[in-house]
Every structure is written in structure tokens, then in C-alpha cells.
Amino acid sequence: ACPIVDSKEGVTHAMRDMNYKDRKPLYAWVIEKLKLRPVVLHDFSRMNFVYTLLSKRKLSWLVDEGRVTGWDDARFPTIKGVLRRGNLASSH
């Protein structure tokens, strides 16, 4: 379901824990067979975020309920949120 939902919801890049790396071929297969818009997957090692909400389901709830301005809210751990906070791609 993840490749279908990601593609249909307009996700362009998805970050996934290394634990899911072995499922990457299946993800690509589903995208290809269903002729969905591709999503770029980035694998990362486990990170420990303190006091940071990372669940897409919970972040979506905040957006849908109007509790934040949108996916580009500066408090969100999204690329748009980080850019709105003033961090540039070159400042890593």
C-alpha cells in the first residue's frame, strides 16, 4: 500500500529506515506494474529525534485539522518546513 499511497498523495521523495531496504525492489515493482508516478526512496540509518513528530499520519492530522499552516510549517520536519525555517541546502 505504501507505494500506491505515496504516489497518489504526491510524495516526491520518501525517507525510510534501513530496516526496509530489502523491500525497495518490491516497492519499485508495484510502482512499475501499476504505472504510478515514481517516488524517490532514500534509506537512512536509525535517527533519534527528540520531541519531533515524524509520523505522516499524525502530521497529516495536524494539517487537516488546521492546527498548522500546512506542510511547509516551520515546525514540521519536512523539507519545506526546514527551508521555511531558513535552513538552506548548502548549510549542512
Side-chain angles (χ1 to χ4, degrees):
C2 284
I4 298 167
V5 172
D6 287 349
S7 183
K8 294 293 185 185
E9 288 185 352
V11 173
T12 57
H13 293 74
M15 294 181 66
R16 301 186 333 161
D17 189 300
M18 293 290 282
N19 293 336
Y20 296 99
K21 191 171 185 169
D22 60 335
R23 297 181 188 168
K24 204 170 189 175
L26 179 58
Y27 189 101
W29 182 85
V30 170
I31 293 279
E32 178 188 337
K33 293 300 178 190
L34 297 178
K35 295 180 173 54
L36 297 171
R37 185 187 47 75
V39 177
V40 178
L41 295 178
H42 292 283
D43 300 313
F44 64 88
S45 297
R46 183 83 179 143
M47 292 185 265
N48 186 20
F49 288 95
V50 179
Y51 302 114
T52 304
L53 190 61
L54 296 174
S55 164
K56 186 168 85 173
R57 180 177 50 87
K58 292 177 182 175
L59 292 172
S60 294
W61 182 85
L62 292 171
V63 172
D64 295 342
E65 292 291 316
R67 299 192 181 226
V68 295
T69 57
W71 288 98
D72 64 342
D73 190 285
R75 296 167 289 182
F76 268 28
T78 59
I79 293 173
K80 286 184 177 183
V82 171
L83 291 174
R84 188 167 180 198
R85 202 175 308 143
N87 294 325
L88 303 175
S90 62
S91 65
H92 63 295

